[in-house]
Amino acid sequence: MNDSMFTNRRDVLLGTAAAFIAAAIPRARAATNDSNVKIKKWRHYADCRYGQIHIVSAEPADGSGKNKTPLVCLHQSPTSGDYYREFQALMAQDRLVLCPDTSGYGGSDHPNALPTMADLGGAMAEAFVNLGYGKNAPGTRSLGPVDWLGFHTGNYLITEIVAQRPDLVRRLVMPSIPYYPANEREDKRKQFSTPRPYFTDPEYVGKSFKDGVLNAKSELTKERLMDFFVDRMRAGPESWWAFDAVFRYDADPALAKITQDVLLPIMSLETLAEPTRQAAKLMTKAKSVQLLDLPGLGGVNWQTTPDKLVAAIKPFLDKA
Amino acid sequence: MADIKKWKHYAKSRYGQVHFVTAKPVDERAIKHPPLVCFHPSPTSGDMFRDLQMILARDRVVYCPDTPGFGSSDGPTTEPTMADYGAGLADALLDMGYSATNKVDIFGFHTGSLCALEVAVQHPEIINKTVLSGVPHYTPEGRAEQHKIISGGYPMLTNPDYVGTMYKRLVLDGSEAGELEQRYYRFVNRLRAGPKGWWGINAVFTMDTAAALPKLKMPVLLIAFNEMMLQPTRDAAKIIPDVRMVELLDLPMFGFITAPDKVAAEVQKFLG
């Protein structure tokens, strides 16, 4: 199936699916951003194997976003879809942008046992099938595939969605892939996936709050840092589970299964810049792999200069 | 135990979206009574009622919303009154289709009792029966005194020891109701409400309950636990037209957490 065939089919489907979307995804009030485009933003849920996935969605309030493929943004751990709040507000000026919370984070239900990346990716895929995307969606006709953006953990949810439900996937944007060779992963797992001593160290939460919010050297406001702190706390005693899944993940064959167009923004201030370059070499079956150097950018730029990331990503998503 | 289905969703209000945790019997033929809506104390969320909800949801739909500005609900951007909170919650119930021909029962504890009071006074047509527990009914002088104690807000971002101290007190020292995990998530919801989380209690102690309580036109049950609102609840009973009172004095402040079966039994006896 080529892009032009799919576009025609999608246009027809979107017209008939509009009522379905209206029923399934309740609308909230419009928000504004720095541009003149009014954005409609709302929160909703979709079913998955663990219960529900929580999603923050945004699109142009005048309905003009329906002609572009939706973009789904998958967050790093232990945050939530709210990580992309500033980026979403800009990106949603001309398309639907969905920012779900990975199972066990934000408002999404927790897995009932330590999950693998296949479990987390599978749950996310289920949520989007239940929203009507991909083939064989329950109920009415499918809304088709979406574009996917990941960051850190989010990138491995993407590789699992590609492997399990390629019908959900059009294009991929994968900055900061946590790729390490197999012989390095166990050390990383021990370093990052340790339970936080919430109940054993009485000073832990207070100290973490001071370090992460009150005394943090950051360009972000204390209020925004507090949002991130709250998201860490919401993940609870199991906040380490996604890290465990990342560093147990056999990423090599997963990366080799990608057959779509891929954009790899290389954010120079990210420790995962070089791992992303290494991961690119394994995407041997991808239709295309484009590395895009973004000097001077790091994770905090999703919040501080989202316009730069939007400018870097949009041409790739919108190319013919 | 009957199979209960539990899920989360949103409804629209003047402040944006109101978040609900809702439960009902998997077999809907087991539903025998109107839905019950439970309004929580500040600064928590509908999750406060999780144990009570699972018992009461055996034969009815039980909604546990997050008051605007708490939990996952959008909130007012300026300091609200209790009438504002009640209006926001009523908006959500109306958005969900409740009406004069499709009523609900309501239950509220502490701040939630005044949210319930406002919903019942503003929209009596959608309310079947009302259960209020731990009602903060004070004289104007008593209100002013309480307001002086709580005003100043939650200094999460200005007092470096506030969050750590609150965590130890509310979660670790074990004196608060509920299991460790419940206490932990209750603390998280307090954090989520942020420095403005005190707006709920502020609205409590600026509400003229003496004017509102006599306006309750439907049957009302008051449940009192052995806690600071015992006498205020007794005082409230004196001015509600159609009221009965149950005192569960062997239960502490969050009696619906420490003994949900006992509280549920009283609620069920009254509501049917």
Side-chain angles (χ1 to χ4, degrees):
Chain A
M1 182 188 289
N2 62 46
D3 277 355
S4 61
M5 279 174 61
F6 178 75
T7 300
N8 290 339
R9 176 168 171 262
R10 190 182 72 230
D11 287 345
V12 169
L13 288 172
L14 279 174
T16 54
F20 171 81
I21 294 172
I25 308 179
R27 297 323 197 212
R29 61 205 169 138
T32 55
N33 50 52
D34 282 341
S35 80
N36 290 326
V37 178
K38 216 177 214 183
I39 304 296
K40 207 165 35 177
K41 190 171 170 179
W42 68 101
R43 295 160 346 251
H44 54 112
Y45 287 95
D47 289 342
C48 75
R49 64 188 63 177
Y50 299 124
Q52 291 174 292
I53 292 272
H54 182 260
I55 304 169
V56 182
S57 289
E59 67 179 4
D62 64 4
S64 59
K66 296 197 191 327
N67 293 328
K68 296 215 170 174
T69 302
L71 174 66
V72 182
C73 305
L74 301 180
H75 62 84
Q76 64 170 329
S77 307
T79 66
S80 74
D82 185 58
Y83 182 80
Y84 291 112
R85 181 195 307 175
E86 294 82 358
F87 175 77
Q88 180 183 40
L90 293 182
M91 201 70 193
Q93 288 176 22
D94 62 1
R95 73 197 71 210
L96 173 60
V97 180
L98 304 103
C99 297
D101 303 333
T102 301
S103 297
Y105 298 87
S108 291
D109 290 322
H110 288 223
N112 38 23
L114 185 61
T116 62
M117 197 50 68
D119 294 329
L120 294 176
M124 189 61 71
E126 284 163 4
F128 278 83
V129 168
N130 286 324
L131 282 176
Y133 295 101
K135 291 181 185 171
N136 304 319
T140 185
R141 283 181 287 174
S142 170
L143 299 172
V146 296
D147 295 329
W148 296 85
L149 163 75
F151 189 63
H152 290 220
T153 310
N155 283 316
Y156 284 162
L157 268 83
I158 284 177
T159 51
E160 277 302 311
I161 292 165
V162 165
Q164 296 183 41
R165 289 301 298 252
D167 57 307
L168 288 172
V169 182
R170 193 185 73 135
R171 292 181 186 155
L172 302 174
V173 182
M174 300 174 70
S176 294
I177 301 174
Y179 177 76
Y180 292 93
N183 61 351
E184 293 180 28
R185 288 174 201 153
E186 181 57 17
D187 281 346
K188 290 289 180 193
R189 192 187 71 78
K190 285 177 186 161
Q191 181 186 352
F192 287 101
S193 56
T194 50
R196 308 296 188 258
Y198 289 122
F199 305 138
T200 50
D201 178 354
E203 307 305 321
Y204 177 75
V205 168
K207 184 174 185 310
S208 297
F209 188 77
K210 284 184 208 175
D211 291 345
V213 180
L214 300 181
N215 303 329
K217 303 273 186 289
S218 172
E219 300 160 62
L220 300 177
T221 63
K222 286 196 174 62
E223 287 76 10
R224 194 70 176 107
L225 289 170
M226 185 159 171
D227 291 335
F228 294 146
F229 185 83
V230 168
D231 269 345
R232 271 175 59 192
M233 295 290 289
R234 286 183 81 188
E238 292 101 39
S239 64
W240 60 281
W241 280 10
F243 294 101
D244 186 88
V246 163
F247 293 116
R248 288 186 194 274
Y249 189 49
D250 188 2
D252 293 49
L255 291 164
K257 284 185 183 153
I258 295 173
T259 57
Q260 294 84 1
D261 290 312
V262 184
L263 175 70
L264 300 178
I266 307 292
M267 302 162 91
S268 70
L269 300 182
E270 276 278 293
T271 53
L272 294 178
E274 184 53 34
T276 303
R277 291 186 192 281
Q278 295 304 316
K281 297 174 187 172
L282 296 168
M283 297 179 187
T284 51
K285 297 199 181 70
K287 191 171 169 195
S288 69
V289 180
Q290 178 188 344
L291 279 74
L292 179 65
D293 282 309
L294 298 178
L297 297 192
V300 73
N301 291 96
W302 290 111
Q303 290 86 40
T304 56
T305 60
D307 54 313
K308 291 184 179 171
L309 289 156
V310 169
I313 291 167
K314 256 199 192 177
F316 167 75
L317 295 178
D318 292 347
K319 69 179 181 179
Chain B
M1 182 179 298
D3 279 340
I4 306 290
K5 175 186 153 112
K6 190 168 166 178
W7 74 102
K8 298 168 291 194
H9 58 103
Y10 288 94
K12 285 189 279 197
S13 89
R14 63 192 60 194
Y15 300 119
Q17 292 178 285
V18 175
H19 184 261
F20 285 78
V21 181
T22 298
K24 68 176 181 180
V26 169
D27 183 353
E28 292 195 4
R29 293 171 300 178
I31 295 176
K32 305 279 185 242
H33 308 287
L36 173 65
V37 188
C38 303
F39 300 115
H40 64 80
S42 294
T44 69
S45 74
D47 186 59
M48 277 294 273
F49 296 116
R50 68 162 86 153
D51 299 320
L52 185 68
Q53 181 181 38
M54 292 305 279
I55 300 169
L56 292 170
R58 290 171 189 161
D59 57 5
R60 75 194 76 216
V61 180
V62 181
Y63 296 107
C64 295
D66 300 335
T67 301
F70 297 91
S72 295
S73 289
D74 293 321
T77 51
T78 54
E79 212 172 281
T81 62
M82 194 53 70
D84 294 329
Y85 281 129
L89 289 163
D91 288 342
L93 296 179
L94 295 170
D95 183 53
M96 285 157 61
Y98 292 104
S99 66
T101 53
N102 184 18
K103 298 186 186 200
V104 295
D105 296 322
I106 56 177
F107 169 79
F109 178 77
H110 278 198
T111 309
S113 71
L114 299 192
C115 289
L117 173 57
E118 275 294 340
V119 171
V121 164
Q122 294 181 34
H123 287 278
E125 77 282 2
I126 72 169
I127 307 299
N128 186 43
K129 292 181 182 175
T130 297
V131 182
L132 305 178
S133 180
V135 184
H137 170 54
Y138 290 87
T139 61
E141 296 75 26
R143 244 191 340 265
E145 202 180 303
Q146 293 295 324
H147 190 261
K148 222 187 291 181
I149 297 169
I150 59 99
S151 64
Y154 297 150
M156 292 168 181
L157 298 178
T158 51
N159 178 339
D161 297 319
Y162 181 81
V163 168
T165 303
M166 290 301 290
Y167 184 77
K168 283 187 271 196
R169 182 166 79 78
L170 298 176
V171 181
L172 297 183
D173 85 358
S175 59
E176 289 274 310
E179 300 297 322
L180 181 60
E181 186 224 347
Q182 271 182 310
R183 301 197 304 269
Y184 174 91
Y185 283 108
R186 202 150 73 225
F187 174 82
V188 173
N189 276 311
R190 176 180 281 259
L191 275 189
R192 289 183 77 193
K196 293 179 190 161
W198 79 289
W199 281 3
I201 303 179
N202 181 61
V204 165
F205 294 118
T206 51
M207 179 182 181
D208 184 358
T209 48
L213 287 164
K215 291 181 184 171
L216 289 170
K217 301 289 181 235
M218 70 290 297
V220 177
L221 171 69
L222 296 183
I223 299 179
F225 305 124
N226 193 359
E227 50 114 1
M228 58 185 171
M229 296 300 170
L230 172 57
Q231 190 55 49
T233 305
R234 287 172 174 162
D235 292 338
K238 297 170 189 168
I239 60 171
I240 298 173
D242 180 1
V243 70
R244 62 280 291 146
M245 176 108 177
V246 164
E247 295 191 0
L248 300 175
L249 299 183
D250 56 332
L251 298 184
M253 178 161 66
F254 296 133
F256 51 85
I257 294 177
T258 52
D261 283 322
K262 206 164 184 177
V263 175
E266 295 297 337
V267 171
Q268 286 164 325
K269 210 185 320 177
F270 172 67
L271 295 180

